[in-house]
Amino acid sequence: MKNTIITLALLFTFLGLNAQTHSHSGAQPLSYPNIDGYVTLKTDLHMHSVFSDGKVWPTIRVEEALRENLDAISLTEHLEYQPHKEDIPHPDRNRAYHLAMEEAKEHELLIVPGSEITRSAPVGHNNAVFITDANELLHDDAKDAFTAAKKQQAFVFWNHPAWYAQSMAGTPILSDFQKERIKKSELHGIEVINTVDYSEESLALALENNLTIMGTSDIHGLIDWSYTQKGNHRPITLVFAKEKSIEGLKVALFAGRTVAVYNDLLVGKASYLKPLLKASIEIVSAAYIGKTQVLEIELKNISSSDLLFENAMSFTFYDSSPVFEIPAGESKIIKIKTLNRLGSLDLKLEALGAFTAPKEHPMIEWKINVE
Amino acid sequence: MKNTIITLALLFTFLGLNAQTHSHSGAQPLSYPNIDGYVTLKTDLHMHSVFSDGKVWPTIRVEEALRENLDAISLTEHLEYQPHKEDIPHPDRNRAYHLAMEEAKEHELLIVPGSEITRSAPVGHNNAVFITDANELLHDDAKDAFTAAKKQQAFVFWNHPAWYAQSMAGTPILSDFQKERIKKSELHGIEVINTVDYSEESLALALENNLTIMGTSDIHGLIDWSYTQKGNHRPITLVFAKEKSIEGLKVALFAGRTVAVYNDLLVGKASYLKPLLKASIEIVSAAYIGKTQVLEIELKNISSSDLLFENAMSFTFYDSSPVFEIPAGESKIIKIKTLNRLGSLDLKLEALGAFTAPKEHPMIEWKINVE
Amino acid sequence: MKNTIITLALLFTFLGLNAQTHSHSGAQPLSYPNIDGYVTLKTDLHMHSVFSDGKVWPTIRVEEALRENLDAISLTEHLEYQPHKEDIPHPDRNRAYHLAMEEAKEHELLIVPGSEITRSAPVGHNNAVFITDANELLHDDAKDAFTAAKKQQAFVFWNHPAWYAQSMAGTPILSDFQKERIKKSELHGIEVINTVDYSEESLALALENNLTIMGTSDIHGLIDWSYTQKGNHRPITLVFAKEKSIEGLKVALFAGRTVAVYNDLLVGKASYLKPLLKASIEIVSAAYIGKTQVLEIELKNISSSDLLFENAMSFTFYDSSPVFEIPAGESKIIKIKTLNRLGSLDLKLEALGAFTAPKEHPMIEWKINVE
Amino acid sequence: MKNTIITLALLFTFLGLNAQTHSHSGAQPLSYPNIDGYVTLKTDLHMHSVFSDGKVWPTIRVEEALRENLDAISLTEHLEYQPHKEDIPHPDRNRAYHLAMEEAKEHELLIVPGSEITRSAPVGHNNAVFITDANELLHDDAKDAFTAAKKQQAFVFWNHPAWYAQSMAGTPILSDFQKERIKKSELHGIEVINTVDYSEESLALALENNLTIMGTSDIHGLIDWSYTQKGNHRPITLVFAKEKSIEGLKVALFAGRTVAVYNDLLVGKASYLKPLLKASIEIVSAAYIGKTQVLEIELKNISSSDLLFENAMSFTFYDSSPVFEIPAGESKIIKIKTLNRLGSLDLKLEALGAFTAPKEHPMIEWKINVE
């Protein structure tokens, strides 16, 4: 009872303590630029609350998402695994969604209805999101669950296919089950990043089977304990949507317009990852130093990922190593020896922390006009 | 399902990432020295989980306590206020206690069974701990609840008596209800620190009525969000017990052997606060500088509270201000001008951050033998 | 079992923290508010370069002062101690001053011409500043040096009178030499803070003999190594002048309008220290919380010293300890239980880190109008 | 005079303040592992004091080097540019060396006698080190200076050949002057890193002409201001010597056994850079996770450079991105999917921050025995 008034009191205290608190601060708000024609939505579509095997009330998931400035989340409770059932016997599998919706109602955060269809290998774990009724997905036969999800026009993705608890080699095995689901348009995406794990083989499967590339936190405990306090952001999926809405998000996911992000690791199809990286760097200034042929360019990284680059031009740098990082939110000045005084330059950098395919880094180009 | 294996994986990752995490780290383990004849137990006997109006599963409260190295906690769910009752209809009011016990079973953390008897003023909120059955405390008349608690030999303390939601002046009002409870030995303690609030008037009431001085977090959300990320530790009660056990703790609380602590604020009866402060400072070395009459003493603060002192001797200092802080876990060298070369010195400091009564700081003395 | 591993992991993290350097920043610019009728000048009038026994070219002293945002410095080379004379045989004892002037010419920093008259006890070390020609101060008899300084209308102050190399008890000894100098108006000030040393006895001497209270760095090496990298600012003298100019500074020093400052230690006559502390706290807001009688006031410390206060009103606080610090540049909200709703309040705090006499803290009062 | 006693006092204070000071600390001691058959010496052979155009007494250069744990330095005062000559008319050009030697005599730090031969392009600036008498290098014709240096058996290297003040394109121009010097064995090395500048073209020249690869700070002001407080270490040359001695260092430099280092940038011939990187990573442990085919290896970076790697094996990683950094002094766990359980593994990583030639990263291999 006291907590709401206390919350207000703490709010004021917080303002007062602002300058002291920075070294203790929790999750930072994430920010990524829009790309041409799309708004960039920061989403985490895989998480749990006490309504399956998570440890917090659904409202905490909303608060965590607001702290990290996410645009959309989904509470994907296990349909078939409910260890707190004795205490929480609620028969409606949509309950966590409703509680999150209530908490989020005065915020911009989108809550996507979802559920996790949970089986051993080869079926594995799969999230169905944008469902209309989670209860309808409860079936003994996993195939029936997928059929029901399709009937609800759900977007379904395969969770952590490389998980060594289900595949001892730590590599995904595309079984007949998945092949059939893909063929029947019942499986649309695949987690390439789940918790702290990135799988190149899952990325290969995504590209080969035209599955949407996903990154999720799969959080059960606290985001701060699992990620923030270890110096990490949670893994997310950036979704490039026509608009920020449940419908816009759904259309974009079905269209495969995503980049999976975990800290400085960015994984996606070239058609989305390249424009994202290009938009993430702002050209602050470009001018020659005195009468020299050394062109000084200030680059600002406006994304929340540290970006690692290697010079891919024939022109060399005057000072910095050709391999350099621009930390999230920071600027870096590079000095390029252009040999002649140019009116414009095609800056070309290889993004070493980004992957458009296994072992394949994208090349990013910016047209620079000299002042 | 994946979370347990992931937890292990994270554990190893954590080791690898340790140096990156410094600016993000969460709650630090608390430590306070024992005093003569007693072990010093770090306790928080007022908190909530989803089983009343808290936001986390009881196991999170155990994990939080382990992170801060507490010795004992109590999940004191409101008996009469259960906003999640629709989802958690469990009829047994001891349920949160049992779940916490299960989580804590392989740890040294003591779980104290407790409940909060919740009314408007003048009864207010009261915690009964060391109860045998919470269900028996449910009564329409608050008096009956106190009678039942007494029957179970519970230790009962008055929560946040200065709370302005129940007393517009922000000062506690000792009504006939409390007077009667005290007279009948049904009320034994009083919160002098609750959440971020310290009340000098509550301290006065404790001393006048011989009530045990308590400090508690009253946490509903996350310890990290409410305290750690603002640069604070949670408020706790240090209890000076004959042994670390439920029984030892109970006896000590009934005997009033406590100090309430919130960061650098320490409040307690002189008989416990003074030995605690004395034990918190270790004399590392004491020697004269060269042939001078300047005695150099190294003091180490082995407690988790920053300690603020003012020189209370007639001798003055050579360098430091007579008002000085020794941060938690750190050392400070003071240089004392003793005018003659002494074989021993009675170091005498006033502890400015500590209170044995409203506006009253304890004087602490150490016998220093010169090397 | 798991918690012990976690605890170990946390322990390593903690240990790792110590060795890490998360901030690289050097000296921070100092700032103190003006007081009624005066501009507050931040000065350091005691330092050395390679032109006596210092280790840097005079220009570094200028750069250091600019980094700490000082208003005035004086390079007070020892007249009689020149260990680099073999390499730097320059006969003009004003040379360091001229080099500093040249470096400072495009800045607002005032360079005060000065020299140190250097003898063993009882004469000791003395700085003469605002001199017109250092060469004229070179005399075998110290008395003649003081006479010459007076002839140049210099302001002269006694350096580190409590230095244990010259007084084994670490206390100043006012000899006939100083008494005569004071009587003849040849000695006008006294260092109460020199390097890291504060002497209460020197403060007593200043007050008894109406000497100007001084604080100086006496730097020989690097400010960053001696102060900044240990978490300190250099000691300075705040001078309350009618205007920022050499003449304004000189008049103020002769008039004794100073406060010596070393980090959170402030020492001065009540007539200057009290207005300084009053001006250092800005009242950001003052309003009652809801319908309560709890008045919430936001205080901002606009000085570069952390300020430590103790509540000196009869009204008590709602949350904070009555002993509290407001770190430099930060704000703090205090909540006062005024028992009735007041239209205005006389806020009264004791400044525990400040001294107007040995062991005497000033009381500071602010008239607060409630919004 | 007071400074020596004060230094001792500060030393003790420093010990006491240890734990408080970490966020303000200056330069960190550097450490790099030895490689097979050689000790690795950390050297900076290009710097200035007040004896040419530097701003500090030579002793400060010794103190700075001790703080960064260097093994050898050389004070290479400009022979022909002495802006402080009016004040420091000392005729002996070896004077800075002698003062540094005196300061270093009780330390392990080697002081290399050296001088800078200073001309406009095409001659440019050149350092002659291991000279026997700097005065003999003063000649009107630069050729004669080189001849004299050779007569003294000096090791001579070309300073900042890419400096845009001497080459508007920022690229080095190998003129007939240098070609002749190289032919006559009068020029033996070339700065590939000078201050913050790395030149790929200078590296190419070094490799083409078999010149020793050098990295130097060229410090004039303070190391802390130019490097430490911006989060950098000073640039150094790692020299692989048979023993730590002036002679050992000289032989190694003539033999070209160096790696130039600036923070995370390492530049050297493959024959020295590859063993250095290999030795910089310690294999802490290697074991399979449970019954899986996922091999977990803990790598520890024992060097003072953050090391950036990319997986160059056919085996992929289980969790981390294939591009990853191991910060200086820290550990990282990588998990490798070996498909079968192996008894040993050839770990192969590309070192992205290191260059053995322009745009060429070395591949480093470690033989890992599985536990």
Side-chain angles (χ1 to χ4, degrees):
Chain A
M1 262 184 187
K2 200 185 166 189
N3 59 331
T4 48
I5 290 177
I6 286 301
T7 303
L8 279 171
L10 283 175
L11 182 67
F12 286 107
T13 307
F14 184 73
L15 292 169
L17 288 172
N18 239 352
Q20 284 166 266
T21 59
H22 43 77
S23 64
H24 307 275
S25 53
Q28 296 301 304
L30 298 175
S31 177
Y32 288 88
N34 294 333
I35 64 172
D36 243 17
Y38 300 109
V39 292
T40 299
L41 303 180
K42 303 168 293 290
T43 74
D44 182 4
L45 302 179
H46 189 173
M47 59 182 65
H48 299 271
S49 78
V50 293
F51 282 83
S52 60
D53 57 347
K55 296 182 179 183
V56 300
W57 199 247
T59 53
I60 291 280
R61 294 292 173 239
V62 173
E63 288 185 74
E64 287 175 334
L66 291 172
R67 283 171 163 247
E68 279 197 286
N69 192 32
L70 299 191
D71 295 295
I73 60 169
S74 183
L75 277 81
T76 50
E77 311 297 352
H78 295 286
L79 287 165
E80 302 82 0
Y81 181 61
Q82 312 241 314
H84 304 148
K85 200 170 189 174
E86 182 190 343
D87 294 292
I88 308 181
H90 210 292
D92 183 3
R93 300 316 177 89
N94 303 301
R95 182 64 181 157
Y97 165 68
H98 288 139
L99 288 167
M101 278 294 278
E102 176 66 19
E103 179 76 9
K105 71 183 171 195
E106 283 173 20
H107 299 283
E108 306 291 311
L109 179 68
L110 302 173
I111 309 295
V112 178
S115 275
E116 183 161 4
I117 302 164
T118 316
R119 296 291 188 287
S120 324
V123 173
H125 296 196
N126 296 270
N127 274 355
V129 290
F130 306 102
I131 54 176
T132 50
D133 184 356
N135 303 305
E136 299 292 321
L137 302 189
L138 266 171
H139 289 277
D140 286 343
D141 189 332
K143 287 185 187 178
D144 295 336
F146 276 78
T147 308
K150 190 181 180 186
K151 206 171 150 195
Q152 294 186 16
Q153 298 181 294
F155 175 82
V156 182
F157 58 96
W158 189 8
N159 299 336
H160 44 75
W163 188 23
Y164 56 58
Q166 294 197 334
S167 162
M168 297 290 270
T171 51
I173 299 159
L174 192 76
S175 71
D176 289 342
F177 182 83
Q178 278 86 25
K179 286 177 189 161
E180 196 184 325
R181 296 286 83 63
I182 293 168
K183 205 174 154 194
K184 289 194 167 180
S185 293
E186 288 173 3
L187 185 63
H188 319 97
I190 183 169
E191 285 183 350
V192 163
I193 302 175
N194 172 284
T195 63
V196 303
D197 302 335
Y198 161 57
S199 164
E200 298 185 39
E201 294 80 9
S202 298
L203 174 58
L205 281 184
L207 298 173
E208 287 158 17
N209 297 280
N210 198 26
L211 295 172
T212 299
I213 292 167
M214 304 295 292
T216 71
S217 74
D218 201 357
I219 187 71
H220 288 72
L222 304 184
I223 286 289
D224 276 3
W225 291 358
S226 294
Y227 297 101
T228 314
Q229 290 176 9
K230 289 164 190 155
N232 301 313
H233 297 302
R234 78 166 91 194
I236 56 173
T237 307
L238 295 180
V239 184
F240 307 98
K242 284 289 182 190
E243 54 168 39
K244 179 171 174 178
S245 69
I246 290 287
E247 188 55 26
L249 181 61
K250 184 174 173 178
V251 168
L253 282 167
F254 272 109
R257 297 197 301 259
T258 64
V259 166
V261 179
Y262 181 48
N263 297 320
D264 54 354
L265 171 65
L266 299 105
V267 183
K269 289 172 190 155
S271 40
Y272 303 106
L273 183 47
K274 290 177 75 166
L276 175 72
L277 287 164
K278 187 166 178 174
S280 292
I281 295 296
E282 203 176 277
I283 310 300
V284 179
S285 62
Y288 278 95
I289 299 174
K291 294 185 180 304
T292 70
Q293 291 98 47
V294 180
L295 177 60
E296 189 172 87
I297 302 177
E298 183 178 347
L299 306 174
K300 183 169 183 191
N301 176 1
I302 59 169
S303 84
S304 291
S305 292
D306 299 338
L307 296 177
L308 185 69
F309 292 111
E310 181 156 20
N311 179 18
M313 297 177 289
S314 58
F315 298 139
T316 61
F317 288 173
Y318 184 76
D319 57 358
S320 162
S321 168
V323 173
F324 63 98
E325 189 191 71
I326 314 182
E330 296 187 15
S331 289
K332 166 138 186 121
I333 287 171
I334 55 173
K335 294 176 187 156
I336 303 167
K337 300 189 274 196
T338 60
L339 304 178
N340 294 294
R341 307 263 299 195
L342 307 176
S344 73
L345 172 80
D346 291 310
L347 174 65
K348 191 173 165 188
L349 303 173
E350 187 177 351
L352 298 182
F355 293 91
T356 51
K359 301 181 200 321
E360 204 171 309
H361 301 302
M363 289 287 178
I364 315 296
E365 288 181 62
W366 296 262
K367 182 83 170 183
I368 311 278
N369 292 311
V370 178
E371 288 154 22
Chain B
M1 261 183 181
K2 202 187 167 188
N3 59 328
T4 50
I5 290 177
I6 285 302
T7 303
L8 280 170
L10 282 175
L11 179 66
F12 288 106
T13 307
F14 185 73
L15 289 168
L17 287 174
N18 72 48
Q20 276 165 268
T21 63
H22 47 81
S23 61
H24 309 275
S25 50
Q28 296 301 306
L30 298 175
S31 178
Y32 288 87
N34 294 334
I35 64 172
D36 242 17
Y38 300 110
V39 293
T40 299
L41 302 181
K42 302 168 294 291
T43 73
D44 182 5
L45 302 179
H46 189 172
M47 59 182 63
H48 300 271
S49 79
V50 294
F51 282 83
S52 59
D53 57 347
K55 296 183 177 181
V56 300
W57 199 246
T59 54
I60 291 280
R61 295 291 173 237
V62 172
E63 289 185 73
E64 286 175 333
L66 292 170
R67 284 173 162 244
E68 279 196 285
N69 193 32
L70 299 190
D71 295 294
I73 60 169
S74 183
L75 278 80
T76 50
E77 312 296 354
H78 296 285
L79 287 165
E80 303 82 358
Y81 181 62
Q82 313 240 314
H84 305 146
K85 201 169 188 175
E86 181 189 345
D87 295 293
I88 308 181
H90 209 293
D92 183 2
R93 299 314 177 90
N94 303 301
R95 182 63 181 158
Y97 165 68
H98 289 140
L99 288 167
M101 279 295 279
E102 176 67 20
E103 179 76 9
K105 71 183 170 194
E106 284 175 20
H107 302 284
E108 304 292 312
L109 180 68
L110 301 174
I111 309 294
V112 177
S115 274
E116 184 162 2
I117 302 165
T118 316
R119 298 290 188 286
S120 325
V123 174
H125 296 197
N126 296 271
N127 274 356
V129 290
F130 306 103
I131 54 176
T132 51
D133 184 356
N135 302 306
E136 299 292 321
L137 302 189
L138 266 171
H139 290 277
D140 286 343
D141 189 332
K143 288 185 187 176
D144 296 337
F146 276 77
T147 308
K150 191 182 179 186
K151 206 170 149 194
Q152 296 186 15
Q153 298 182 296
F155 174 82
V156 181
F157 57 97
W158 189 9
N159 299 336
H160 44 74
W163 188 23
Y164 57 60
Q166 293 197 335
S167 161
M168 297 291 269
T171 51
I173 299 159
L174 192 77
S175 69
D176 288 342
F177 182 83
Q178 279 86 26
K179 287 177 191 162
E180 195 184 325
R181 297 288 81 64
I182 292 169
K183 203 174 155 194
K184 289 194 169 182
S185 293
E186 289 173 3
L187 184 62
H188 319 96
I190 182 168
E191 285 183 352
V192 161
I193 302 174
N194 172 285
T195 62
V196 302
D197 301 335
Y198 161 56
S199 163
E200 297 185 41
E201 294 80 10
S202 298
L203 174 58
L205 281 185
L207 297 173
E208 286 158 19
N209 296 281
N210 198 27
L211 296 173
T212 300
I213 292 167
M214 305 294 293
T216 72
S217 74
D218 200 359
I219 187 71
H220 289 72
L222 305 183
I223 286 289
D224 277 3
W225 291 357
S226 294
Y227 296 103
T228 314
Q229 290 175 9
K230 289 165 189 153
N232 301 312
H233 297 303
R234 79 165 90 194
I236 56 173
T237 305
L238 296 181
V239 184
F240 307 98
K242 283 289 180 190
E243 54 168 40
K244 179 171 174 178
S245 70
I246 290 287
E247 188 54 27
L249 182 60
K250 184 176 172 177
V251 168
L253 282 166
F254 272 108
R257 297 198 299 261
T258 63
V259 166
V261 179
Y262 181 47
N263 297 320
D264 53 356
L265 170 67
L266 299 104
V267 182
K269 288 173 190 152
S271 41
Y272 302 105
L273 183 47
K274 289 177 75 165
L276 175 72
L277 287 164
K278 187 167 178 173
S280 292
I281 295 295
E282 205 175 276
I283 312 298
V284 179
S285 62
Y288 279 95
I289 299 174
K291 294 187 182 301
T292 70
Q293 291 99 45
V294 180
L295 177 59
E296 190 172 87
I297 302 178
E298 183 177 349
L299 306 175
K300 185 170 183 191
N301 175 2
I302 59 169
S303 83
S304 290
S305 292
D306 299 337
L307 295 178
L308 185 68
F309 291 112
E310 180 156 20
N311 179 18
M313 295 178 290
S314 58
F315 297 140
T316 61
F317 288 174
Y318 184 77
D319 57 358
S320 162
S321 170
V323 173
F324 63 99
E325 189 191 71
I326 315 182
E330 297 187 14
S331 290
K332 165 136 187 123
I333 286 171
I334 55 172
K335 294 176 189 153
I336 303 166
K337 299 188 275 196
T338 61
L339 304 178
N340 293 294
R341 306 249 318 182
L342 307 176
S344 73
L345 172 79
D346 290 310
L347 175 64
K348 191 172 165 189
L349 302 174
E350 186 177 351
L352 298 182
F355 294 90
T356 52
K359 301 181 202 320
E360 202 170 310
H361 301 303
M363 289 286 176
I364 315 296
E365 287 181 63
W366 296 262
K367 182 83 171 181
I368 311 277
N369 292 311
V370 177
E371 287 153 23
Chain C
M1 197 168 140
K2 195 178 151 198
N3 71 314
T4 51
I5 294 175
I6 289 287
T7 304
L8 277 171
L10 283 172
L11 183 68
F12 284 115
T13 305
F14 187 71
L15 291 170
L17 234 162
N18 279 334
Q20 275 314 113
T21 313
H22 22 95
S23 156
H24 306 276
S25 52
Q28 296 302 304
L30 298 175
S31 178
Y32 288 88
N34 295 332
I35 64 172
D36 242 17
Y38 300 110
V39 293
T40 299
L41 303 181
K42 303 168 294 292
T43 74
D44 182 6
L45 302 179
H46 189 173
M47 59 182 63
H48 300 271
S49 79
V50 293
F51 282 84
S52 61
D53 57 347
K55 296 182 176 182
V56 301
W57 199 247
T59 54
I60 291 280
R61 294 291 174 239
V62 173
E63 288 185 73
E64 287 175 333
L66 292 172
R67 283 172 163 245
E68 279 196 285
N69 193 33
L70 299 190
D71 295 294
I73 60 169
S74 183
L75 277 81
T76 51
E77 311 296 353
H78 295 286
L79 287 165
E80 303 82 359
Y81 181 61
Q82 312 240 315
H84 304 147
K85 200 169 189 173
E86 182 189 345
D87 295 291
I88 308 180
H90 209 292
D92 182 2
R93 299 315 176 88
N94 304 301
R95 183 62 180 157
Y97 165 68
H98 289 139
L99 287 167
M101 278 295 279
E102 176 68 18
E103 179 76 9
K105 70 181 170 195
E106 284 175 19
H107 299 283
E108 304 292 312
L109 180 68
L110 302 173
I111 309 294
V112 178
S115 273
E116 183 162 3
I117 303 164
T118 316
R119 297 291 188 287
S120 325
V123 174
H125 296 196
N126 296 271
N127 274 355
V129 290
F130 306 103
I131 54 176
T132 50
D133 185 356
N135 303 306
E136 300 292 322
L137 303 190
L138 266 172
H139 290 278
D140 286 343
D141 189 331
K143 287 185 188 177
D144 296 337
F146 276 77
T147 307
K150 191 182 179 185
K151 204 169 150 195
Q152 295 186 15
Q153 297 181 297
F155 175 82
V156 182
F157 59 96
W158 189 8
N159 299 337
H160 45 76
W163 187 23
Y164 58 59
Q166 293 196 336
S167 162
M168 296 291 268
T171 51
I173 299 159
L174 192 77
S175 71
D176 288 343
F177 182 83
Q178 279 86 26
K179 286 177 191 162
E180 195 184 326
R181 296 289 81 62
I182 292 169
K183 204 174 154 193
K184 290 194 167 181
S185 292
E186 289 173 4
L187 184 62
H188 318 96
I190 182 169
E191 285 183 351
V192 162
I193 302 175
N194 172 284
T195 62
V196 302
D197 301 335
Y198 160 58
S199 164
E200 297 185 40
E201 294 80 11
S202 299
L203 174 58
L205 281 184
L207 297 173
E208 286 157 18
N209 297 280
N210 197 25
L211 296 172
T212 299
I213 293 167
M214 304 294 291
T216 71
S217 73
D218 201 359
I219 188 73
H220 289 72
L222 305 183
I223 285 288
D224 277 2
W225 290 358
S226 293
Y227 296 102
T228 314
Q229 290 175 11
K230 289 165 190 155
N232 301 313
H233 297 303
R234 79 166 89 193
I236 56 172
T237 307
L238 295 182
V239 184
F240 306 98
K242 284 288 181 192
E243 55 168 39
K244 179 171 175 178
S245 70
I246 290 286
E247 187 55 27
L249 182 60
K250 184 176 172 176
V251 169
L253 282 166
F254 272 108
R257 296 198 300 261
T258 63
V259 167
V261 179
Y262 181 46
N263 297 321
D264 53 355
L265 170 66
L266 299 105
V267 182
K269 288 171 191 155
S271 40
Y272 303 106
L273 183 47
K274 288 177 76 166
L276 175 72
L277 287 165
K278 187 167 179 174
S280 293
I281 295 296
E282 203 176 277
I283 312 298
V284 179
S285 61
Y288 279 95
I289 300 175
K291 294 186 181 303
T292 70
Q293 290 99 46
V294 180
L295 177 60
E296 189 172 87
I297 302 178
E298 183 177 348
L299 306 175
K300 184 170 184 191
N301 176 1
I302 59 169
S303 85
S304 291
S305 291
D306 299 337
L307 296 178
L308 186 68
F309 292 111
E310 181 156 18
N311 180 17
M313 296 178 290
S314 58
F315 298 139
T316 61
F317 288 175
Y318 185 76
D319 56 359
S320 162
S321 169
V323 174
F324 63 98
E325 190 190 72
I326 315 183
E330 296 188 16
S331 290
K332 165 132 186 127
I333 286 171
I334 56 171
K335 294 176 190 155
I336 303 166
K337 299 189 274 195
T338 60
L339 304 178
N340 293 295
R341 307 259 305 193
L342 307 176
S344 73
L345 173 79
D346 290 309
L347 175 65
K348 191 171 165 190
L349 302 174
E350 186 176 352
L352 298 181
F355 293 91
T356 51
K359 302 183 201 318
E360 203 170 308
H361 301 303
M363 289 285 175
I364 315 297
E365 288 180 62
W366 296 262
K367 182 85 171 181
I368 311 278
N369 292 311
V370 177
E371 287 153 23
Chain D
M1 263 184 193
K2 200 186 167 189
N3 59 330
T4 49
I5 290 176
I6 287 301
T7 303
L8 280 170
L10 283 175
L11 183 67
F12 287 108
T13 307
F14 184 73
L15 292 168
L17 288 174
N18 238 352
Q20 287 167 263
T21 60
H22 48 78
S23 62
H24 308 275
S25 50
Q28 295 301 305
L30 298 175
S31 177
Y32 288 87
N34 295 333
I35 64 172
D36 242 17
Y38 300 111
V39 293
T40 299
L41 302 180
K42 301 168 294 290
T43 74
D44 181 6
L45 302 178
H46 189 173
M47 60 182 64
H48 300 272
S49 78
V50 293
F51 282 84
S52 60
D53 56 348
K55 296 182 177 182
V56 299
W57 199 246
T59 54
I60 291 280
R61 294 291 173 240
V62 173
E63 288 185 73
E64 287 175 332
L66 292 171
R67 283 172 163 247
E68 280 197 285
N69 192 32
L70 299 190
D71 295 294
I73 60 169
S74 183
L75 278 80
T76 50
E77 311 296 353
H78 296 286
L79 287 164
E80 302 82 1
Y81 180 61
Q82 312 240 316
H84 304 148
K85 201 169 189 173
E86 183 190 344
D87 295 290
I88 308 181
H90 210 292
D92 183 2
R93 300 315 177 91
N94 303 300
R95 181 65 181 157
Y97 165 68
H98 288 139
L99 288 167
M101 277 295 278
E102 177 67 18
E103 178 76 10
K105 71 183 171 194
E106 283 174 20
H107 299 283
E108 304 292 311
L109 180 68
L110 302 173
I111 309 294
V112 178
S115 274
E116 183 161 5
I117 303 164
T118 316
R119 296 291 187 287
S120 324
V123 174
H125 296 196
N126 296 270
N127 274 356
V129 289
F130 306 102
I131 55 177
T132 51
D133 184 356
N135 303 306
E136 299 292 322
L137 303 189
L138 266 170
H139 289 278
D140 287 343
D141 189 332
K143 287 186 186 177
D144 295 337
F146 276 78
T147 307
K150 191 183 179 183
K151 205 170 150 195
Q152 295 186 14
Q153 298 182 296
F155 174 83
V156 182
F157 58 96
W158 189 9
N159 299 337
H160 45 74
W163 188 25
Y164 57 61
Q166 294 197 334
S167 162
M168 297 290 270
T171 51
I173 299 159
L174 192 76
S175 71
D176 288 343
F177 182 83
Q178 279 86 25
K179 286 177 190 161
E180 196 184 325
R181 297 286 82 64
I182 292 168
K183 203 174 156 194
K184 289 193 167 182
S185 293
E186 289 174 4
L187 184 64
H188 318 97
I190 182 168
E191 285 183 349
V192 162
I193 302 175
N194 172 285
T195 63
V196 302
D197 301 334
Y198 161 57
S199 163
E200 297 185 40
E201 294 80 10
S202 299
L203 173 58
L205 282 184
L207 298 173
E208 287 157 18
N209 297 280
N210 197 26
L211 296 172
T212 299
I213 292 167
M214 304 294 290
T216 72
S217 73
D218 201 357
I219 188 70
H220 289 70
L222 305 184
I223 286 289
D224 277 2
W225 291 358
S226 294
Y227 296 102
T228 314
Q229 290 175 10
K230 291 168 185 153
N232 301 312
H233 297 301
R234 78 166 90 194
I236 56 173
T237 307
L238 295 180
V239 183
F240 306 97
K242 284 289 182 192
E243 54 169 38
K244 178 170 174 178
S245 69
I246 291 286
E247 188 55 27
L249 182 61
K250 183 175 173 178
V251 168
L253 282 166
F254 272 108
R257 297 198 298 260
T258 62
V259 166
V261 179
Y262 181 47
N263 298 320
D264 53 355
L265 170 67
L266 299 104
V267 183
K269 288 171 191 155
S271 40
Y272 303 106
L273 182 48
K274 289 177 75 165
L276 175 71
L277 287 165
K278 188 167 177 173
S280 293
I281 295 295
E282 205 176 274
I283 311 298
V284 179
S285 62
Y288 279 94
I289 299 175
K291 294 186 180 303
T292 70
Q293 291 100 46
V294 180
L295 177 60
E296 190 171 85
I297 302 177
E298 183 178 348
L299 306 174
K300 185 171 183 191
N301 176 2
I302 60 170
S303 84
S304 291
S305 292
D306 299 336
L307 296 177
L308 186 69
F309 291 112
E310 181 156 20
N311 179 18
M313 296 178 290
S314 59
F315 298 139
T316 61
F317 289 174
Y318 184 76
D319 55 359
S320 161
S321 168
V323 174
F324 63 99
E325 189 191 70
I326 314 183
E330 297 186 17
S331 289
K332 166 138 187 121
I333 286 171
I334 55 172
K335 294 177 187 154
I336 303 166
K337 299 188 275 194
T338 61
L339 303 178
N340 294 295
R341 307 259 304 193
L342 307 175
S344 74
L345 172 79
D346 291 310
L347 174 65
K348 192 173 165 188
L349 303 174
E350 187 176 352
L352 298 182
F355 293 92
T356 51
K359 302 181 199 323
E360 204 169 308
H361 301 302
M363 290 287 176
I364 315 297
E365 287 181 63
W366 296 262
K367 183 83 170 183
I368 311 278
N369 292 311
V370 178
E371 288 154 21

